[in-house]
């Protein structure tokens, strides 16, 4: 059973009332807690373990508890949790017994974006199946370079700010990653937004498949404020189809569509096309450059320092947001050329025996393919690519089984681990060994190995024995695989 939130009232922040986070150490919850702490609210929270997020919050005066216990919840608190938290959690039970309101993380994010206590004049929402975290971070640094100083709420660490959340100085503009995984996307009504792409993911929530996902985004678009500007990636067929539906309803949707394209795929005469990249090409070690156009006018050259052609398009989206706010192109482009990428998005975490160690959050076949391609281009034939993939959730692996089998082209050595359950119950026939056997049977990859053990130290020893200068080692997945490559001696 998952959390049911308080439908009796709307969350209203009050500095005289404490806010308690159940599961405060996660990247999403810790960011919101950080914004409240930095704004002078009384904050407490609990989690099963400690990490840099909880250490920071404690250093700023938040009361952080290790483990979940009813006694952790302050009297008369506002309690905040995520979809993953069960009603059986002792802190949730304590809140229910004492008639304390229990709100979802999305309720708090809405209040930070739009509420009286912390609301912003202009809000930018970043949505879609892939790229949300990168685009949110890029938009944050672009707007900052343009002199806006926005509030930024991202699903990963932004190196420039050493945080996943930044409180804007004047609270005029906020840019936030909007999660569709549990349907809470429908709680947001940003001034401007983007739909980066749409592909089936989170089958645990979207049991109705793509039809249900697309319907969620249709509802999201219908509820936006009149005159909202919505950026659409029209190279994504699912995104373009939804836009065409709205335009076909009379040609005047309640929002203003702004079309983007990631390359030379348009003649330049398509209606509503606003931003485009032209003459995109390799720049350096998997990084790309291109020329940004607003309609027929070239704004300038965009060079990305983060590997992967998809990152060039992400940069275009960030530039588009800044341009819509009338910011000058040059400082925005310079900020992106210096942007080193988000945490766990092709994050170089060290070296070992001359090999580069890269960690990535990729946990969907499309993301895995893009990340592997970026790694192949990054190494430029200087060595071998060893990839380690940890499937995340049984439901996702089952729903996208064939797509995952075909997602690793370019690897020289591929390790597959057991499934990271993320609280799910096993599904018969859907496990690490069965997936490994299917990948081997495909005959697509030179060498595939299965590592069922959860002892990352043993896997490090296996990896270390085969490393040479110029190699790239890439870990991928949304689970604890992120611990594998961090902290190795050079």
């Amino acid at each position: 059973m998952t959390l049911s939130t308080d439908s009796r009232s709307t969350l209203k922040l009050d500095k005289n009332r404490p806010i308690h986070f159940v599961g405060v150490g996660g990247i999403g919850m810790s960011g919101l807690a950080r914004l409240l702490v930095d704004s002078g609210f009384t904050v407490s929270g609990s989690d099963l373990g400690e990490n840099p997020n909880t250490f920071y919050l404690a250093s700023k005066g938040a009361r952080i508890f290790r483990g979940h216990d009813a006694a952790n919840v302050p009297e008369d608190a506002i309690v905040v949790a995520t979809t993953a938290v069960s009603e059986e959690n002792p802190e949730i039970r304590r809140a229910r017994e004492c008639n304390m309101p229990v709100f979802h993380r999305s309720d708090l994010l809405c209040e930070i974006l739009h509420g009286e206590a912390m609301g912003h004049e202009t809000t930018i929402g970043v949505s879609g199946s892939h790229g949300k975290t990168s685009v949110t971070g890029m938009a944050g640094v672009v707007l900052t370079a343009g002199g806006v100083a926005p509030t930024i709420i991202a699903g990963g660490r932004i190196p420039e700010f050493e945080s996943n959340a930044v409180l804007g100085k004047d609270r005029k503009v906020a840019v936030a990653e909007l999660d569709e995984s549990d349907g809470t996307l429908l709680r947001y009504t940003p001034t401007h937004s983007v739909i980066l792409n749409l592909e089936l993911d989170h089958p645990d929530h979207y049991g109705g498949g793509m039809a249900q996902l697309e319907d969620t985004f249709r509802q999201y678009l219908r509820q936006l404020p009149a005159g909202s500007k919505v950026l659409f990636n029209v190279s994504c067929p699912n995104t373009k189809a939804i836009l065409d539906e709205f335009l076909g309803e009379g040609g005047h949707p309640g929002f203003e569509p702004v079309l983007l394209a990631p390359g030379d795929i348009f003649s330049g005469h398509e209606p509503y096309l606003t931003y485009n990249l032209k003459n995109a090409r390799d720049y350096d070690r998997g990084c790309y450059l291109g020329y940004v156009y607003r309609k027929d006018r070239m704004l300038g050259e965009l060079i990305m320092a983060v590997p992967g052609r998809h990152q060039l398009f992400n940069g275009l989206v960030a530039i588009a947001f800044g341009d819509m706010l009338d910011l000058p192109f040059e400082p925005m482009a310079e900020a992106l050329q210096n942007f080193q990428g988000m945490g766990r998005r092709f994050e170089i975490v060290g070296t070992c025996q001359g090999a580069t160690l890269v960690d990535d959050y990729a946990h969907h076949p499309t993301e895995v393919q893009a990340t592997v391609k970026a790694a192949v281009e990054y190494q430029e034939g200087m060595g071998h690519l060893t990839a380690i993939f940890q499937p995340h959730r049984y439901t996702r692996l089952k729903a996208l089984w064939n797509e995952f089998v075909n997602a690793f082209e370019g690897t020289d050595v591929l390790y597959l681990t057991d499934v990271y359950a993320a609280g799910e119950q096993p599904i018969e026939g859907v496990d690490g060994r069965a997936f490994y056997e299917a990948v081997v049977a495909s005959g697509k990859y030179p060498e595939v190995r299965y590592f069922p053990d959860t002892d990352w130290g043993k896997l490090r020893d296996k990896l270390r024995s085969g490393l040479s200068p110029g190699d790239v080692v890439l870990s991928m997945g949304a689970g604890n695989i992120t611990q594998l490559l961090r902290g190795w001696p050079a």
Side-chain angles (χ1 to χ4, degrees), residues 281-296:
R281 60 182 184 272
D282 292 328
Y283 175 67
D284 179 46
R285 296 198 67 181
C287 299
Y288 283 79
L289 69 79
Y291 295 87
V292 177
Y293 281 75
R294 185 204 314 123
K295 297 190 181 294
D296 294 328

Side-chain angles (χ1 to χ4, degrees), residues 1-17:
M1 180 168 59
T2 56
L3 178 78
S4 61
T5 55
D6 195 328
S7 60
R8 296 168 299 172
S9 60
T10 300
L11 173 58
K12 296 292 183 182
L13 291 173
D14 181 349
K15 288 190 176 180
N16 294 317
R17 191 171 188 181

Side-chain angles (χ1 to χ4, degrees), residues 86-166:
S86 168
E87 286 285 343
E88 300 307 312
N89 181 287
E91 296 174 19
I92 299 298
R93 290 204 308 267
R94 153 84 169 165
R96 299 296 190 203
E97 291 168 359
C98 298
N99 292 317
M100 299 179 193
V102 177
F103 289 99
H104 191 272
R105 175 190 177 274
S106 58
D107 294 314
L108 177 55
L109 177 54
C110 284
E111 176 68 5
I112 291 173
L113 294 177
H114 308 297
E116 294 179 4
M118 294 184 66
H120 297 72
E121 295 177 13
T122 300
T123 53
I124 296 172
V126 181
S127 68
S129 299
H130 317 297
K132 295 185 293 293
T133 298
S134 292
V135 168
T136 303
M138 290 180 189
V141 299
V142 158
L143 299 182
T144 301
V148 171
T151 292
I152 311 168
I153 306 165
R157 179 179 175 274
I158 310 168
E160 283 78 356
F161 303 105
E162 297 184 347
S163 174
N164 59 319
V166 179

Side-chain angles (χ1 to χ4, degrees), residues 208-434:
M210 275 299 299
Q212 184 183 354
L213 175 66
E214 291 169 346
D215 189 57
T216 296
F217 276 85
R218 290 187 190 96
Q219 294 180 58
Y220 171 69
L221 291 169
R222 289 191 182 101
Q223 71 188 29
L224 292 176
S228 294
K229 291 184 178 181
V230 183
L231 282 64
F232 287 85
N233 172 11
V234 290
S235 71
C236 171
N238 295 325
T239 304
K240 188 173 186 300
I242 288 180
L243 174 62
D244 289 343
E245 287 180 24
F246 278 88
L247 296 180
E249 295 175 358
H252 298 287
F255 56 85
E256 179 183 342
V258 178
L259 273 64
L260 302 94
D264 303 310
I265 63 172
F266 288 95
S267 66
H269 301 292
E270 285 73 14
Y272 304 106
L273 180 63
T274 307
Y275 295 98
N276 196 5
L277 279 165
K278 296 185 179 181
N279 301 317
R281 60 182 184 272
D282 292 328
Y283 175 67
D284 179 46
R285 296 198 67 181
C287 299
Y288 283 79
L289 69 79
Y291 295 87
V292 177
Y293 281 75
R294 185 204 314 123
K295 297 190 181 294
D296 294 328
R297 179 192 170 196
M298 187 181 79
L299 298 182
E301 182 182 68
L302 176 60
I303 299 173
M304 298 300 297
V306 185
R309 181 164 181 153
H310 58 289
Q311 297 289 11
L312 185 64
F313 173 69
N314 291 341
L316 171 67
V317 177
I319 290 287
F321 279 131
D323 189 67
M324 286 161 51
L325 296 179
D326 298 320
L327 303 184
F329 178 83
E330 288 75 15
M332 294 193 294
E334 182 179 357
L336 288 178
Q337 186 170 358
N338 294 324
F339 181 72
Q340 297 303 306
M342 300 292 289
R344 298 220 63 206
R345 273 67 180 177
F346 209 90
E347 181 183 1
I348 298 175
V349 296
T351 60
C352 183
Q353 298 172 192
T356 302
L357 310 179
V358 180
D359 182 44
D360 198 279
Y361 192 67
H363 58 284
H364 182 281
T366 298
E367 297 165 355
V368 171
Q369 284 180 319
T371 303
V372 170
K373 186 176 186 295
V376 170
E377 294 174 345
Y378 177 82
Q379 68 177 354
E380 292 185 336
M382 295 184 298
H384 294 87
L385 172 60
T386 298
I388 309 97
F389 176 65
Q390 181 186 53
H392 186 264
R393 291 186 179 272
Y394 296 103
T395 52
R396 179 181 287 113
L397 183 59
K398 179 182 179 181
L400 302 171
W401 184 276
N402 292 332
E403 291 88 344
F404 273 120
V405 168
N406 296 306
F408 304 99
E409 183 178 353
T411 58
D412 296 300
V413 180
L414 173 62
Y415 281 87
L416 299 172
T417 78
D418 279 335
V419 178
Y420 187 86
E424 289 188 341
Q425 294 300 311
I427 298 175
E428 185 176 356
V430 181
D431 56 34
R433 177 166 288 281

